[in-house]
Amino acid sequence: MTLTIQETPVSRRLKSVKHIIIVCSGKGGVGKSSVSTQLALSLYASPSNPRVGILDVDLTGPSIPRMLGLDGHGVHQSSDGWVPVYVDAAGGGEPRLACMSVGFLLKKKSDSVIWRGPKKNAMIRQFLSDVRWEELDYLVIDTPPGTSDEHLSLLEHLAPVHAKLSAVIVTTPQAVALLDAMKCLSFTRAVKLPVLGLIENMSGYVCPCCGEMSNVFSTGGGEEMARREDLTFLGSMPVDSELVTLLDAAETEESAETISTRASGVLRRYQETSSGKLFGGIVEKVIARVCSVEEGSVTASA
């Protein structure tokens, strides 16, 4: 007897999305959103020229628009749903990097989002079913820290496309962050979400003047956790002041044309940072692991 999975608005919308990567962390402040941004930018720059989307479901703390230089951009409604904001809209040629965030829907970027669980659930469903993602090779989803309403809603709505899902866990080297990362790993195992691997962020600080490495937050804890839990260690990323300046630069109100130009500048400048070069090695491992998930050799326990 063959079981048929009922098609849903989410599964219809995401039918043309090949791989969905959920970026999660056990606690806040580990740089999960910057890792999500770097993952999307590095996938976009990979040799196969893939089409990439990044969805920000950190509803109460949306930071992806700012990091991509898209602050102040609005979202347009078409007859086929919301049109995502294209980061490379000003680069010429067909855009390949799409973004959606609740940050685009706020009247002021300083406005707070005060929502209970049901409204968060409805917003996530709308992001997945009403955004005109079209064909994507990768959809990167930035989630809030912990394992809360947003994560459960996300996985509930993505259940019909579960075979496309995988996760990347982000931690820092400190013991407290590693303990919370273990809780995040426990969550992925409970919901049978395959884990591509673990990234240790803020693993030391490289002096921009002399290049000397200082272990501000210790180092190596993430790699040891990956070894102990039989996870792939994707790599470690030091604190990079050049990256911080690029992703966190203060911006004033500008025209849509200037915003698009600024976003294209983020794409170009990121590849020139030391973090951009380092993350290239991480994304190679991510792509290889995604292929393993597709082939069925990576399970929810790994």
Side-chain angles (χ1 to χ4, degrees), residues 164-201:
K164 300 181 180 185
L165 305 183
S166 55
V168 168
I169 297 176
V170 182
T171 186
T172 55
Q174 302 109 304
V176 172
L178 291 166
L179 180 62
D180 287 333
M182 280 298 303
K183 296 175 184 176
C184 186
L185 176 60
S186 175
F187 172 79
T188 63
R189 288 172 172 169
V191 297
K192 295 180 169 49
L193 177 63
V195 177
L196 301 177
L198 182 137
I199 296 174
E200 182 182 280
N201 199 30

Side-chain angles (χ1 to χ4, degrees), residues 44 51-54 68-70 73-76 82-91 93-100 104 131-136 256 259-264 267:
Y44 171 85
R51 294 179 62 92
V52 181
I54 181 165
L68 289 174
L70 295 171
H73 209 296
V75 173
H76 301 290
W82 282 342
V83 180
V85 178
Y86 285 92
V87 183
D88 53 344
E94 185 181 3
R96 292 188 294 109
L97 182 53
C99 177
M100 178 55 72
F104 296 137
V131 176
R132 200 180 69 187
W133 291 110
E134 299 182 343
E135 291 190 9
L136 292 178
I259 291 169
S260 297
T261 304
R262 185 176 75 220
S264 294
L267 284 172

Side-chain angles (χ1 to χ4, degrees), residues 7-187:
E7 193 174 54
T8 66
V10 172
S11 66
R12 284 193 294 271
R13 181 66 76 178
L14 300 181
K15 187 178 294 184
S16 299
V17 176
K18 294 180 181 177
H19 307 291
I20 301 172
I21 303 174
I22 300 171
V23 182
C24 50
S25 66
K27 71 185 297 294
V30 300
K32 173 188 46 56
S33 293
S34 68
V35 167
S36 298
T37 301
Q38 291 185 81
L39 179 57
L41 291 174
S42 296
L43 284 168
Y44 171 85
S46 58
S48 60
N49 294 321
R51 294 179 62 92
V52 181
I54 181 165
L55 172 61
D56 186 0
V57 297
D58 191 349
L59 301 178
T60 58
S63 54
I64 298 297
R66 184 185 186 93
M67 292 183 176
L68 289 174
L70 295 171
D71 255 355
H73 209 296
V75 173
H76 301 290
Q77 180 81 34
S78 74
S79 58
D80 191 32
W82 282 342
V83 180
V85 178
Y86 285 92
V87 183
D88 53 344
E94 185 181 3
R96 292 188 294 109
L97 182 53
C99 177
M100 178 55 72
S101 170
V102 74
F104 296 137
L105 308 177
L106 301 177
K107 291 182 179 179
K108 298 179 181 178
K109 57 187 177 183
S110 59
D111 287 349
S112 60
V113 177
I114 309 172
W115 291 348
R116 292 186 182 274
K119 192 164 184 179
K120 289 181 179 180
N121 179 55
M123 186 79 262
I124 291 171
R125 182 178 64 247
Q126 192 165 7
F127 275 157
L128 295 172
S129 62
D130 290 355
V131 176
R132 200 180 69 187
W133 291 110
E134 299 182 343
E135 291 190 9
L136 292 178
D137 294 286
Y138 303 97
L139 176 61
V140 177
I141 302 181
D142 182 40
T143 64
T147 51
S148 55
D149 285 346
E150 290 89 336
H151 302 81
L152 295 173
S153 296
L154 188 63
L155 291 173
E156 178 186 354
H157 296 310
L158 290 174
V161 293
H162 190 273
K164 300 181 180 185
L165 305 183
S166 55
V168 168
I169 297 176
V170 182
T171 186
T172 55
Q174 302 109 304
V176 172
L178 291 166
L179 180 62
D180 287 333
M182 280 298 303
K183 296 175 184 176
C184 186
L185 176 60
S186 175
F187 172 79

